[in-house]
Amino acid sequence: MQGIIIIIITNYPFKQRIHGPKVKYQSILSNSLLRTPVLFCGVDQCKLTCDDVLTEIAVGQGTINFKVNRTLLAENVMNEVTKKGSSYGLSSELFNDYPRGRIIVEFSSPNIAKRFHAGHLRSTIIGNFIANLKHALGNEVIRMNYLGDWGMQFGLLGAGFQQFGSEEKLKSKPLEHLFDVYVQVNKMAESDENIKLAAQEFFRKLEAGDKSTLAFWERIRCISIEEYANIYQRLGVHFDEFSGESVYQKRSHDFLRLLEKKGLLKKTKQGTGVVDLSPNGDLSIYATVVRSDGTSLYLTRDIAAAVDRMEKYNFEKMIYVTDKGQHTHFQQVFQTLKIMGYDWAERCQHIPFGVVQGMKTRKGDVIFLEDILNEARSRMLKNMSASKTTKELEDPADTAEKVGIAALIIQDFKGPLLSDYDFDWDRVLQSQGDTGVFLQYTHARLCRTYENGPQAQFNPASLQDPQAITLLQHLLRFDEVLYKASKDLQPKHLVNYLLMLSRLVSIAHRTLHVKGSLPEVAQARFLLFKATCSVLANGMKLLGITPVEKM
Ligand code: ARG
């Protein structure tokens, strides 16, 4: 029989499908915790016989029904979760061939003195997830922030600061003050020729390397980085390197000379310099690498940056996380590198994501990352104030912040990264349903359950209830989910897994009482909840969430 074979695991509330004719079925039948992989080659050749793992097999119409040895399942899963701790799932044999070289993840990358928008937030949390996952899988990860720290905006900022900059405000609220100055000077420049000229002059001096102009720029850059680092810390994100466009301003000219030497730099009628990317050499597709006035571009700086990073780090992979609007830009970067003979361009990957609409705060539009975090915290604090347990918290604002951030992350990671979505605070912060609040709530509740466990020997035979078995089966699948995420770098696999885990453990909680059960049963259930809590926490941490123990 060709096509789909449905395997139903009797008594368990889920169906698994496998697609013939030749699929390695990486699930309960073949999970290495239970047995060596089974290779299905269509029903005719399907060699499924009863053994230690399968206790019963029945063939129906187009289906095979079987029962799994429950005691073995409970024993192996529980042992493995306990033994492996935070590496549970990550050290699975699925990762035997996983490449563990050095990886650069470039993410967040805001522009100094400009708005930090929802796209930058997405890049920050997605990049953080990818870096966390790669690190957990054994890669050496370099977390890089590539700041927009060069360009005409600095001319305007410099000219503006000379007019209405305040040292005091720069100290107390640096990012806000710089943004205010930038907005104000932009407005003035629309009607005031003198401001425009002053800005051009400032930027010219900066490009020419004038000492005092450069010192001003350097100071603004340092203050901004310090401020960003503090706010990233609230989000639980850190960087190993703050790079930026400025670093490659000069080097992009070396790169242009190299292009010229290789005969790859073509001039257009308009006087711009381009690289031909067309297959037939007819300039039907090209990348512009130099303006007619000789100044370099965003693209040129990115190419120079990639070459420099290769020389410096000899990376096995480099991942850029930005919105999908930059897709063509990165294709041009990679293609130009390839045309120049850098074969390692193949190791570069762009992870694009969709647009978030309507992310506003009570004050209005989001301008700074801090605005988003403050809004999430204050809204969450208000929601939590209705609950009794909030009063027992040592630092309710801190808990509200962690729960609020979890909510933002889960909302963002639920679907494919490429999808656009509309942002809605009320939906994001719901305590029930598929939200980060629900995950945090489930985690906190599990922590409470095992505050003081019963004392008895663990007997896997005590975990035979359907709710326990379903939960164990789900725990068993953790490595598959991590494996999928490691392949396509989409957090949705892990998010949906954790939401399902939380739903299953909520159901189990209702029926599998610890208190009032016989010691051996109580102990087994207690350990099952503890194991679930550990897997839930591990998964949440990979996503960039700090699990709370009380809320
Ligand atoms: N600063 C840019 C922006 O805000 C993002 C930089 C992305 N990284 C890169 N290597 N081009 O759009």
Side-chain angles (χ1 to χ4, degrees), residues 106 108-111 117 120 146-148 245 298 302 305 309 320-323 326 329-330:
E106 191 223 86
S108 195
S109 308
N111 304 317
H117 51 76
H120 290 125
Y146 183 73
L147 295 170
E245 293 183 47
Y298 182 52
D302 251 327
R309 291 175 194 172
Y320 298 85
V321 187
T322 78
D323 64 275
Q326 301 206 29
H329 166 77
F330 283 106

Side-chain angles (χ1 to χ4, degrees), residues 506-519:
S506 300
I507 295 169
H509 241 284
R510 261 176 254 146
T511 41
L512 307 180
H513 302 290
V514 176
K515 258 192 210 146
S517 298
L518 293 169

Side-chain angles (χ1 to χ4, degrees), residues 200-214:
Q200 276 164 10
E201 176 58 12
F202 196 96
F203 188 53
R204 192 197 58 75
K205 277 165 120 181
L206 193 59
E207 289 242 300
D210 174 70
K211 259 204 181 137
S212 71
T213 317
L214 217 52

Side-chain angles (χ1 to χ4, degrees), residues 78 452-459 462-463 513-515 517-530:
M78 295 296 290
N452 30 42
Q455 294 298 321
Q457 190 70 21
F458 170 62
N459 180 2
S462 300
L463 290 178
H513 302 290
V514 176
K515 258 192 210 146
S517 298
L518 293 169
E520 206 178 71
V521 175
Q523 174 70 351
R525 291 176 176 176
F526 161 79
L527 289 174
L528 176 63
F529 290 136
K530 193 170 167 170

